[in-house]
Amino acid sequence: MDPITLAIHATPAFVASAVEFVEATTIVLAVGVTRGWRAPLLGTVVATAALAIIIGTLGVALVTVVPEHLLKGVVGALLLLFGLRWLRKAVLRFAGIVAIHDEELIYLRELAELRQQGLRKNEFDWVGFLVAFKAVLLEGTEVAFIVIAFGAAGGVALTSAVVGAIVAGIFVIGLGIALQKPLTMVPENWLKFGVGAMLCSFGVFWFAEALGMTWPGDALSIPLIVVAFLAVSWLAVRILKALLPQGAQIEARNF
Amino acid sequence: MAIGALIALAISWLLAVAGGDRTQQIVGWALLAMVLVLIVANLYRAGLVARARMSSARR
């Protein structure tokens, strides 16, 4: 497979995984800056190892036991449900009904909470360890789910999904190390909007395939489905903005 | 939204199982249409709820 084809196939997994890595990296950074790096880095390493064991076990079972069409159906349904949640939240944020997800606010809140708890010298920081462990394990599980979902077809799809997730991890973690502060420059709501549409599209595509449908042009239908989701979601944003009176968006954020 | 999506998935499955080969080949488009309608309907309802909450908060 040439690098351009690989890059195109890996993009959905890259974008989806990047969102999860941003969340985990923000928390690990907040813990590291306030309480020192030893415990959160150890928490990250242990969570990564636990994740590898879980994926190693479940991954083999998924390939050998479950029939492909059943896996596609289940994963398609999960992707659709997962994607709809993201898409709905992103639309409500764009319309001003829900406050924009603010990574900087989360970072400052983490800082304040951790400083409040205090820390004695020469004591292993279990709080820092557990906070980092929990964040990395949870977000890592979501990345694993994304990789399994996008790579469900096996072969090229799986390779591309794995490459996309690894590159996203290196990219976001590298960005975090370089910046040493919250990743506020990543417009998270735009990412969630796009990723939500992509997850929904793959969900519809795979679920229909599991039911025996052959899409015209096979995977070439996916961009068309993505465009349909984006267009309808943007239409929903416009409808919501028109529905709420002038200035109501700001007022609604206080609910 | 989740319940609506599950109903759309169930309808698609029923269409594929009960219908013939031709129905099976349009089940994806039917699912897509149902989900798109669901998105607009659900968000429109969320907008109405938000507007009602704002009106009652102002009073």
Side-chain angles (χ1 to χ4, degrees), chain A:
Chain A
M1 194 183 353
D2 65 284
I4 295 168
T5 313
L6 180 69
I8 292 167
H9 279 91
T11 302
F14 172 83
V15 180
S17 306
V19 175
E20 307 304 337
F21 279 120
V22 164
E23 290 173 18
T25 309
T26 303
I27 294 167
V28 173
L29 277 176
V31 179
V33 167
T34 47
R35 305 174 72 98
W37 290 98
R38 205 174 126 231
L41 286 180
L42 195 64
T44 305
V45 170
V46 174
T48 310
L51 207 57
I53 294 166
I54 293 167
I55 296 164
T57 318
L58 283 180
V60 172
L62 279 172
V63 174
T64 52
V65 179
V66 186
E68 197 193 332
H69 74 276
L70 183 66
L71 183 66
K72 269 191 176 176
V74 172
V75 170
L78 286 174
L79 271 186
L80 182 62
L81 294 172
F82 193 52
L84 279 174
R85 232 183 73 199
W86 279 28
L87 202 55
R88 185 179 192 273
K89 208 175 268 182
V91 169
L92 290 173
R93 282 175 182 157
F94 275 132
I97 292 175
V98 172
I100 294 281
H101 198 63
D102 194 340
E103 291 296 333
E104 189 164 1
L105 201 71
I106 294 167
Y107 175 76
L108 291 173
R109 203 182 300 146
E110 284 285 342
L111 277 182
E113 274 176 23
L114 291 170
R115 277 187 181 137
Q116 236 175 13
Q117 287 168 17
L119 188 66
R120 263 176 277 168
K121 276 184 182 176
N122 303 325
E123 205 175 87
F124 185 72
D125 181 17
W126 284 105
V127 174
F129 174 86
L130 285 174
V131 169
F133 177 81
K134 194 182 73 179
V136 173
L137 192 67
L138 281 179
E139 303 303 337
T141 308
E142 291 200 33
V143 171
F145 172 73
I146 289 164
V147 170
I148 291 169
F150 281 113
V156 176
L158 185 62
T159 311
S160 308
V162 170
V163 169
I166 290 172
V167 173
I170 293 168
F171 177 72
V172 174
I173 293 164
L175 206 68
I177 291 167
L179 295 172
Q180 294 266 320
K181 62 179 287 195
L183 307 170
T184 49
M185 60 196 301
V186 181
E188 201 204 343
N189 209 43
W190 280 102
L191 276 179
K192 282 213 157 160
F193 189 70
V195 172
M198 264 196 276
L199 293 182
C200 290
S201 305
F202 276 91
V204 168
F205 182 82
W206 281 333
F207 193 80
E209 272 199 337
L211 295 178
M213 180 183 170
T214 311
W215 290 90
D218 199 19
L220 287 175
S221 320
I222 295 172
L224 199 72
I225 306 171
V226 174
V227 170
F229 271 108
L230 288 174
V232 167
S233 304
W234 197 247
L235 177 75
V237 173
R238 305 302 306 167
I239 291 171
L240 284 178
K241 280 190 170 173
L243 198 66
L244 296 171
Q246 199 72 20
Q249 282 84 10
I250 297 152
E251 202 176 325
R253 285 173 198 170
N254 298 325
F255 281 117

